[in-house]
């Protein structure tokens, strides 16, 4: 037993034929275990062995000094705090049971969608908290209630657009809520905020209102990046291809979360499909390499053709959105106002519904390997979704701020004051309508399409119904939907500060609706969707959405003219002017000069140079590492071959006459030619020769590894034990 | 059943928290589930820490029932001399390695041992063949043909066998598994 051995430390029992090397290695292992600071829980040993190691590290006779006691207590407390913090970061264990159930039934690929939902919910709640604490609470505290919108300016407005004050009101309260008119003068929209001049109060509401969206976006950016990097490759393959190798996929393909027999069967089917598809692609790739140049050119042309067609589809889609938005804004006073209110969101949803179907149809006309097919369709769906949102915000900007076109009504005030008394409110309303429409569409699809489909498929059994089947729960499509909603929320942070609150409520309800749909009305898609690559993909698309939302925000904050008579920035040429004014007002002269220096070229250019220098050094370092790895691999292969060559030489020597005496266990020749021993007494690991898979017992050598296995595994007896002489 | 008879002492809990990656609640729940597998008269604290549960009973828990590697898992974590039963501490070790907070190193270490069907310290062709058969199941339409299996295993060895000796040892396995971001999230069992 290890216990007995350590008790007699220093007196190694001598057994006949005992190899001195095994003792040294055994001692080395024990010494390493004793001296290492690695926490016990991460050592790959059984519980009783860990206890023994712990006893070895701190012999009982030793008195622990006060310092060590305190250190240990701090360590345990630190660990506990870390556990608690981790639990909080995982969302207070919100929906833990539901996620567990979904993972058990459908695997971690689909569960990743729901964890992503939870992550977005937390982001939105955090945003609401920030906004409330920095803007709303001080506003309520200071009790500033400004004058209402004043109309003491005259405009020459072309045409019959008299009606700055005329806003069509519906007597239907529901419509008012759905279009945002009911909330027009509440803190939901930009227009209701008001603050006195900057010099009058110590706390600048304007600065808080300006910096809140930027801070929220920055926080979200950091959070997403951190989550992305956590799931990312721990040690990226330097100098190798960046994909996940097949062996890694094979070893990590089983999902240990599954605990239902049916789900396990489905998973096995999926894995089998994946392997078969992979092998098919390998064969295809080999075939492709034997293609003539003409065939290669043909393939390239067809690839270009498909992508060109898809690009045309995207262009068509987003121009439809542009037209729809313009039409809806230009015809605000029409009698079909009700329908036109929701025309832009309707067109966006239609485009995003038809687009993927057409992409799939076009891509499947060519016969691409499945992985390329899936990736291509996915990329184009993402492009379509984000482009449609970008075009929507651009067309809003064009109507309200005359970006990209010259219109006389924008010249006087920098925005289209004739049509929009408070353009920020209008933008806020459009985004609000978009979010509401998205949510209503989700609910409608769940209850008016998927549910009836399931009922009909169960009821009837014709060929059509069996072909139709239940709806598949497509993770990418659902993820793109919620990412689009989140992008719109981020776009609206400046115009509609409480929009994240609505988004949180909708996300919360979406979780339960999607869970119900998945568990009752859907079936799993036949194609495997891996949890981690999907997580990375989700975070990436979310990041793109965030960048898409940040660009208009930056533009608006820095260069557009705010509304003349509503909101916080009435007297500034651009909202960012507030910062300059406050800097001039509040900061001492030295601070102002420091800030001026930091934002000038004299600071920026050297910083840029330094950063590019660091980047160059990093790249050069990584290239050097890649070369070193290559050389080391070759060296390793050479060394193993050399080892086997030596072993073969030795076994050849054994065959020579006069080798009978070397069979005596004690003779040095025996020991030299039978280098067989095991580690701290466990199963003798072997590695067969390079060519012959047949196991030759006389040529076994232990792969001595620092993290070797403990304990005896193939013979009964005490756990750690010496190799006895009879084994050799 | 409540009362101090079925609860673990505070020192023991602290010790288990030290030696495993589990939180206090997880340890208590593990103890409860383990006690349920024992015969009625042995469900108090002292006996539950001493007794061993045979494989048939352990393999009946829902978290392991559908797992194709369930026998291997039990065999790897068993410390019995005949390796056919699990004690409570073995069970805790199992849950610790499969928990959320276990390090990727220890997970990959135990994954290697689970996949090593013949317990010889390396993954050779035979081991890989059995691994793929476990993953694809027994059905006729899911099992790979002999040529497909050979091609697959050739590709695997081509990628991961760095020293070209025909087998995958622990370091090579850990190296190749570090390239898979999936592994840590799928190698989890939670009660």
């Amino acid at each position: 037993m290890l216990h007995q051995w350590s008790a007699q430390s220093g007196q190694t029992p001598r057994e006949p034929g005992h190899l001195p090397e095994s003792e040294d290695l055994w001692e080395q292992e024990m010494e390493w275990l004793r001296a290492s600071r690695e926490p016990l829980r991460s050592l790959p040993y059984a519980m009783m062995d860990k206890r023994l190691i712990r006893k070895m590290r701190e012999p009982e006779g030793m008195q622990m000094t006060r310092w060590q006691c305190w250190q240990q207590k701090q360590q345990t407390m630190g660990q506990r705090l870390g556990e608690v913090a981790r639990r909080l970061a995982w969302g207070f264990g919100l929906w833990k049971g539901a996620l567990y159930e979904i993972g058990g039934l459908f695997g971690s690929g689909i569960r990743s969608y729901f964890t992503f939902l939870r992550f977005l919910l937390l982001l939105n709640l955090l945003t609401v908290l920030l906004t409330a604490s920095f803007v709303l609470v001080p506003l309520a505290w200071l009790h500033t209630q400004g004058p209402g919108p004043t109309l003491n300016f005259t405009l020459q407005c072309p045409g019959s657009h008299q009606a700055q004050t005329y806003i069509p009101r519906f007597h239907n309260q529901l419509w008012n809520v759905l279009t945002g008119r009911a909330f027009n003068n509440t803190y939901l929209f930009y227009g209701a905020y008001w603050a006195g001049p900057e010099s009058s109060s110590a706390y600048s509401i304007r600065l808080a209102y300006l910096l809140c969206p930027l801070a929220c976006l920055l926080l979200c950016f950091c959070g997403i990046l951190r989550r992305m990097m956590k799931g990312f490759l721990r040690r990226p393959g330097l100098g190798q291809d960046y994909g996940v190798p097949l062996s890694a996929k094979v070893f990590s393909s089983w999902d240990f979360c599954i605990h239902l027999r049916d789900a396990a069967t489905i998973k096995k089917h999926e894995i089998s499909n994946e392997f078969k598809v992979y092998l098919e692609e390998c064969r295809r790739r080999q075939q492709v390499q034997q293609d003539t140049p003409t065939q290669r050119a043909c393939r390239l042309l067809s690839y270009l053709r498909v992508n060109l067609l898809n690009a045309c589809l995207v262009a068509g889609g987003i121009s439809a959105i542009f037209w729809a938005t313009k039409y809806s804004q230009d015809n605000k006073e029409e009698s079909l106002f009700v329908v036109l209110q929701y025309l832009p969101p309707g067109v966006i949803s239609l485009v995003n519904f038809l687009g993927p179907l057409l992409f799939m149809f076009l891509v499947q006309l060519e016969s691409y390997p499945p992985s390329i097919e899936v990736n291509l369709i996915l990329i184009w769906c993402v492009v379509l979704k984000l482009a449609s949102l970008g075009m929507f915000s651009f067309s809003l900007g064009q109507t309200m701020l005359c970006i990209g076109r010259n219109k006389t009504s924008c010249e006087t005030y920098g925005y289209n004051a004739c049509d929009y008394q408070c353009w920020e409110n209008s933008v806020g309303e459009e985004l609000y309508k978009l979010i509401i429409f998205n949510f209503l569409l989700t609910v409608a699809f769940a209850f008016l399409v998927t549910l009836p489909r399931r009922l009909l498929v169960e009821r009837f059994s014709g060929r059509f119904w069996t072909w139709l089947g239940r709806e598949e729960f497509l993770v990418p499509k659902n993820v793109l939907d919620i990412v689009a909603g989140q992008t719109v929320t981020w776009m609206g942070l400046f115009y509609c500060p409480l929009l994240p609150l609505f988004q949180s409520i909708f996300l919360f309800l979406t979780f339960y609706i999607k869970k119900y749909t998945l568990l009752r009305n859907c079936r799993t898609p036949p194609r495997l969707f891996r949890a981690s690559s999907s997580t990375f993909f989700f975070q990436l698309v979310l990041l793109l959405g965030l960048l898409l939302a940040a660009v208009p925000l930056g533009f608006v904050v820095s260069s557009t003219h705010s509304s003349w008579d509503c909101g916080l920035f009435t007297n500034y040429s651009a909202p960012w002017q507030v910062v300059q004014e406050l800097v001039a007002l509040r900061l001492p002269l030295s601070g102002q000069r420091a800030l001026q220096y930091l934002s000038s070229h004299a600071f920026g250019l050297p910083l840029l140079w330094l950063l590019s220098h660091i980047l160059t050094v990093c790249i050069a370092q990584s290239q050097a590492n890649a070369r070193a790895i290559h050389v080391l691999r070759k060296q390793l292969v050479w060394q193993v071959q050399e080892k086997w060559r030596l072993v073969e030489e030795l076994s050849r020597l054994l065959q020579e006459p006069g080798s009978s005496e070397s069979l005596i266990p004690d003779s040095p020749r025996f020991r030299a030619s039978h280098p067989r021993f095991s580690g701290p007494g466990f199963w003798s690991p072997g590695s067969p020769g390079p060519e012959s898979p047949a196991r030759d017992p006389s040529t076994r050598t232990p792969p001595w590894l620092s993290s070797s296995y403990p304990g005896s595994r193939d013979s009964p007896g005490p756990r750690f034990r010496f190799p006895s002489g009879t084994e050799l | 059943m409540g009362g101090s008879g079925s609860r673990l002492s505070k020192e023991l809990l602290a010790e288990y928290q030290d030696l495993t990656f589990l939180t206090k609640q997880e340890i208590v729940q593990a103890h409860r589930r383990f006690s349920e597998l024992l015969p009625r008269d042995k469900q108090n604290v002292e006996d539950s820490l001493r007794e061993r549960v045979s494989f048939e009973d352990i393999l009946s828990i829902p978290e392991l029932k559908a797992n194709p590697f369930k026998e291997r898992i039990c065999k790897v974590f068993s410390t019995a001399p005949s390796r056919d039963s699990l004690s409570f501490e073995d069970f805790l070790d199992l849950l610790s390695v499969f928990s959320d907070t276990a390090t990727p190193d220890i997970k990959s270490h135990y994954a290697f041992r689970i996949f090593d069907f013949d317990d010889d310290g390396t993954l050779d062709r035979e081991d890989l063949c059995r691994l793929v058969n476990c993953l694809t199941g027994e059905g006729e339409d899911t099992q790979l043909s002999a040529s497909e299996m050979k091609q697959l295993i050739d590709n695997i060895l081509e990628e991961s066998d760095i020293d070209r000796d025909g087998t995958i040892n622990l370091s090579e396995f850990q190296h190749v598994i570090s390239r898979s971001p999936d592994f840590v999230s799928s190698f989890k069992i939670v009660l």
Side-chain angles (χ1 to χ4, degrees), chain A residues 104-123:
Chain A
L105 283 172
F106 295 98
S108 31
I110 291 188
R111 191 184 61 188
S112 60
Y113 165 75
F114 290 91
T115 36
F116 186 64
L117 252 182
R118 186 173 66 175
F119 170 66
L120 281 182
L121 177 67
L122 289 173
L123 275 184

mmCIF file of all heavy atoms in Angstrom, chain A residues 104-123:
data_model
loop_
_atom_site.group_PDB
_atom_site.id
_atom_site.type_symbol
_atom_site.label_atom_id
_atom_site.label_comp_id
_atom_site.label_asym_id
_atom_site.label_seq_id
_atom_site.Cartn_x
_atom_site.Cartn_y
_atom_site.Cartn_z
ATOM 1 N N GLY A 104 -31.619 16.708 -22.007
ATOM 2 C CA GLY A 104 -31.756 15.267 -21.948
ATOM 3 C C GLY A 104 -32.510 14.710 -23.142
ATOM 4 O O GLY A 104 -32.226 13.618 -23.628
ATOM 5 N N LEU A 105 -33.478 15.478 -23.628
ATOM 6 C CA LEU A 105 -34.290 14.984 -24.732
ATOM 7 C C LEU A 105 -33.655 15.229 -26.087
ATOM 8 O O LEU A 105 -33.760 14.409 -26.983
ATOM 9 C CB LEU A 105 -35.649 15.687 -24.711
ATOM 10 C CG LEU A 105 -36.622 15.180 -23.669
ATOM 11 C CD1 LEU A 105 -37.821 16.084 -23.624
ATOM 12 C CD2 LEU A 105 -37.057 13.775 -24.026
ATOM 13 N N PHE A 106 -33.060 16.388 -26.262
ATOM 14 C CA PHE A 106 -32.631 16.771 -27.600
ATOM 15 C C PHE A 106 -31.143 16.987 -27.725
ATOM 16 O O PHE A 106 -30.670 17.303 -28.802
ATOM 17 C CB PHE A 106 -33.348 18.064 -28.033
ATOM 18 C CG PHE A 106 -34.824 17.891 -28.189
ATOM 19 C CD1 PHE A 106 -35.686 18.269 -27.175
ATOM 20 C CD2 PHE A 106 -35.353 17.333 -29.331
ATOM 21 C CE1 PHE A 106 -37.044 18.109 -27.304
ATOM 22 C CE2 PHE A 106 -36.703 17.169 -29.465
ATOM 23 C CZ PHE A 106 -37.558 17.557 -28.466
ATOM 24 N N GLY A 107 -30.399 16.893 -26.626
ATOM 25 C CA GLY A 107 -28.960 17.096 -26.734
ATOM 26 C C GLY A 107 -28.573 18.540 -26.536
ATOM 27 O O GLY A 107 -29.408 19.437 -26.462
ATOM 28 N N SER A 108 -27.298 18.764 -26.458
ATOM 29 C CA SER A 108 -26.828 20.100 -26.106
ATOM 30 C C SER A 108 -26.858 21.071 -27.264
ATOM 31 O O SER A 108 -26.743 22.274 -27.058
ATOM 32 C CB SER A 108 -25.430 20.043 -25.503
ATOM 33 O OG SER A 108 -24.705 18.977 -26.030
ATOM 34 N N GLY A 109 -27.022 20.573 -28.509
ATOM 35 C CA GLY A 109 -27.090 21.495 -29.636
ATOM 36 C C GLY A 109 -28.298 22.393 -29.536
ATOM 37 O O GLY A 109 -28.211 23.614 -29.649
ATOM 38 N N ILE A 110 -29.465 21.778 -29.302
ATOM 39 C CA ILE A 110 -30.689 22.572 -29.205
ATOM 40 C C ILE A 110 -30.749 23.306 -27.881
ATOM 41 O O ILE A 110 -31.285 24.416 -27.794
ATOM 42 C CB ILE A 110 -31.905 21.655 -29.417
ATOM 43 C CG1 ILE A 110 -31.915 21.203 -30.872
ATOM 44 C CG2 ILE A 110 -33.181 22.320 -29.039
ATOM 45 C CD1 ILE A 110 -33.134 20.453 -31.272
ATOM 46 N N ARG A 111 -30.153 22.708 -26.845
ATOM 47 C CA ARG A 111 -30.185 23.400 -25.565
ATOM 48 C C ARG A 111 -29.397 24.692 -25.642
ATOM 49 O O ARG A 111 -29.684 25.657 -24.932
ATOM 50 C CB ARG A 111 -29.619 22.493 -24.476
ATOM 51 C CG ARG A 111 -29.860 23.044 -23.090
ATOM 52 C CD ARG A 111 -29.235 22.226 -22.049
ATOM 53 N NE ARG A 111 -27.819 22.179 -22.237
ATOM 54 C CZ ARG A 111 -27.027 21.405 -21.537
ATOM 55 N NH1 ARG A 111 -27.532 20.624 -20.627
ATOM 56 N NH2 ARG A 111 -25.744 21.391 -21.748
ATOM 57 N N SER A 112 -28.390 24.745 -26.528
ATOM 58 C CA SER A 112 -27.578 25.947 -26.610
ATOM 59 C C SER A 112 -28.406 27.143 -27.048
ATOM 60 O O SER A 112 -28.118 28.276 -26.674
ATOM 61 C CB SER A 112 -26.411 25.750 -27.568
ATOM 62 O OG SER A 112 -26.892 25.440 -28.843
ATOM 63 N N TYR A 113 -29.457 26.892 -27.843
ATOM 64 C CA TYR A 113 -30.343 27.996 -28.228
ATOM 65 C C TYR A 113 -30.993 28.591 -26.992
ATOM 66 O O TYR A 113 -31.094 29.822 -26.843
ATOM 67 C CB TYR A 113 -31.398 27.483 -29.199
ATOM 68 C CG TYR A 113 -32.567 28.423 -29.400
ATOM 69 C CD1 TYR A 113 -32.437 29.562 -30.168
ATOM 70 C CD2 TYR A 113 -33.795 28.188 -28.797
ATOM 71 C CE1 TYR A 113 -33.491 30.423 -30.343
ATOM 72 C CE2 TYR A 113 -34.855 29.049 -28.971
ATOM 73 C CZ TYR A 113 -34.694 30.157 -29.737
ATOM 74 O OH TYR A 113 -35.734 31.018 -29.900
ATOM 75 N N PHE A 114 -31.419 27.746 -26.082
ATOM 76 C CA PHE A 114 -32.133 28.259 -24.912
ATOM 77 C C PHE A 114 -31.189 28.940 -23.932
ATOM 78 O O PHE A 114 -31.559 29.920 -23.282
ATOM 79 C CB PHE A 114 -32.897 27.114 -24.241
ATOM 80 C CG PHE A 114 -34.062 26.650 -25.058
ATOM 81 C CD1 PHE A 114 -33.932 25.627 -25.973
ATOM 82 C CD2 PHE A 114 -35.303 27.261 -24.940
ATOM 83 C CE1 PHE A 114 -34.995 25.214 -26.742
ATOM 84 C CE2 PHE A 114 -36.373 26.846 -25.699
ATOM 85 C CZ PHE A 114 -36.221 25.823 -26.607
ATOM 86 N N THR A 115 -29.959 28.429 -23.812
ATOM 87 C CA THR A 115 -29.005 29.132 -22.962
ATOM 88 C C THR A 115 -28.663 30.487 -23.569
ATOM 89 O O THR A 115 -28.420 31.458 -22.854
ATOM 90 C CB THR A 115 -27.705 28.325 -22.777
ATOM 91 O OG1 THR A 115 -27.410 27.650 -23.982
ATOM 92 C CG2 THR A 115 -27.820 27.340 -21.669
ATOM 93 N N PHE A 116 -28.664 30.538 -24.900
ATOM 94 C CA PHE A 116 -28.425 31.814 -25.560
ATOM 95 C C PHE A 116 -29.540 32.796 -25.255
ATOM 96 O O PHE A 116 -29.292 33.991 -24.998
ATOM 97 C CB PHE A 116 -28.317 31.571 -27.065
ATOM 98 C CG PHE A 116 -27.938 32.760 -27.866
ATOM 99 C CD1 PHE A 116 -26.716 33.362 -27.691
ATOM 100 C CD2 PHE A 116 -28.798 33.290 -28.815
ATOM 101 C CE1 PHE A 116 -26.345 34.460 -28.428
ATOM 102 C CE2 PHE A 116 -28.440 34.386 -29.553
ATOM 103 C CZ PHE A 116 -27.215 34.967 -29.360
ATOM 104 N N LEU A 117 -30.784 32.321 -25.250
ATOM 105 C CA LEU A 117 -31.919 33.163 -24.869
ATOM 106 C C LEU A 117 -31.722 33.729 -23.466
ATOM 107 O O LEU A 117 -31.950 34.910 -23.217
ATOM 108 C CB LEU A 117 -33.201 32.317 -24.857
ATOM 109 C CG LEU A 117 -34.225 32.526 -25.959
ATOM 110 C CD1 LEU A 117 -35.421 31.641 -25.722
ATOM 111 C CD2 LEU A 117 -34.668 33.969 -26.002
ATOM 112 N N ARG A 118 -31.291 32.845 -22.563
ATOM 113 C CA ARG A 118 -31.114 33.296 -21.186
ATOM 114 C C ARG A 118 -30.026 34.362 -21.109
ATOM 115 O O ARG A 118 -30.149 35.355 -20.392
ATOM 116 C CB ARG A 118 -30.757 32.085 -20.314
ATOM 117 C CG ARG A 118 -30.692 32.414 -18.844
ATOM 118 C CD ARG A 118 -30.505 31.201 -18.011
ATOM 119 N NE ARG A 118 -29.232 30.581 -18.234
ATOM 120 C CZ ARG A 118 -28.806 29.543 -17.533
ATOM 121 N NH1 ARG A 118 -29.573 29.032 -16.602
ATOM 122 N NH2 ARG A 118 -27.645 28.995 -17.773
ATOM 123 N N PHE A 119 -28.948 34.139 -21.882
ATOM 124 C CA PHE A 119 -27.864 35.109 -21.892
ATOM 125 C C PHE A 119 -28.353 36.471 -22.368
ATOM 126 O O PHE A 119 -28.035 37.520 -21.781
ATOM 127 C CB PHE A 119 -26.753 34.576 -22.802
ATOM 128 C CG PHE A 119 -25.664 35.542 -23.118
ATOM 129 C CD1 PHE A 119 -24.814 35.993 -22.132
ATOM 130 C CD2 PHE A 119 -25.469 35.987 -24.412
ATOM 131 C CE1 PHE A 119 -23.799 36.872 -22.410
ATOM 132 C CE2 PHE A 119 -24.457 36.870 -24.705
ATOM 133 C CZ PHE A 119 -23.619 37.320 -23.714
ATOM 134 N N LEU A 120 -29.162 36.486 -23.429
ATOM 135 C CA LEU A 120 -29.678 37.754 -23.940
ATOM 136 C C LEU A 120 -30.603 38.419 -22.929
ATOM 137 O O LEU A 120 -30.594 39.644 -22.785
ATOM 138 C CB LEU A 120 -30.432 37.528 -25.245
ATOM 139 C CG LEU A 120 -29.562 37.367 -26.474
ATOM 140 C CD1 LEU A 120 -30.442 37.209 -27.697
ATOM 141 C CD2 LEU A 120 -28.660 38.559 -26.643
ATOM 142 N N LEU A 121 -31.386 37.599 -22.231
ATOM 143 C CA LEU A 121 -32.274 38.162 -21.213
ATOM 144 C C LEU A 121 -31.472 38.893 -20.150
ATOM 145 O O LEU A 121 -31.790 40.007 -19.738
ATOM 146 C CB LEU A 121 -33.105 37.035 -20.588
ATOM 147 C CG LEU A 121 -34.042 37.430 -19.453
ATOM 148 C CD1 LEU A 121 -35.147 38.299 -19.981
ATOM 149 C CD2 LEU A 121 -34.633 36.204 -18.798
ATOM 150 N N LEU A 122 -30.363 38.251 -19.724
ATOM 151 C CA LEU A 122 -29.532 38.881 -18.706
ATOM 152 C C LEU A 122 -28.914 40.176 -19.213
ATOM 153 O O LEU A 122 -28.848 41.177 -18.487
ATOM 154 C CB LEU A 122 -28.426 37.917 -18.283
ATOM 155 C CG LEU A 122 -28.905 36.734 -17.466
ATOM 156 C CD1 LEU A 122 -27.766 35.766 -17.240
ATOM 157 C CD2 LEU A 122 -29.449 37.210 -16.142
ATOM 158 N N LEU A 123 -28.474 40.177 -20.481
ATOM 159 C CA LEU A 123 -27.898 41.395 -21.048
ATOM 160 C C LEU A 123 -28.906 42.527 -21.017
ATOM 161 O O LEU A 123 -28.583 43.657 -20.655
ATOM 162 C CB LEU A 123 -27.463 41.153 -22.489
ATOM 163 C CG LEU A 123 -26.088 40.559 -22.746
ATOM 164 C CD1 LEU A 123 -25.854 40.507 -24.245
ATOM 165 C CD2 LEU A 123 -25.014 41.358 -22.084
#
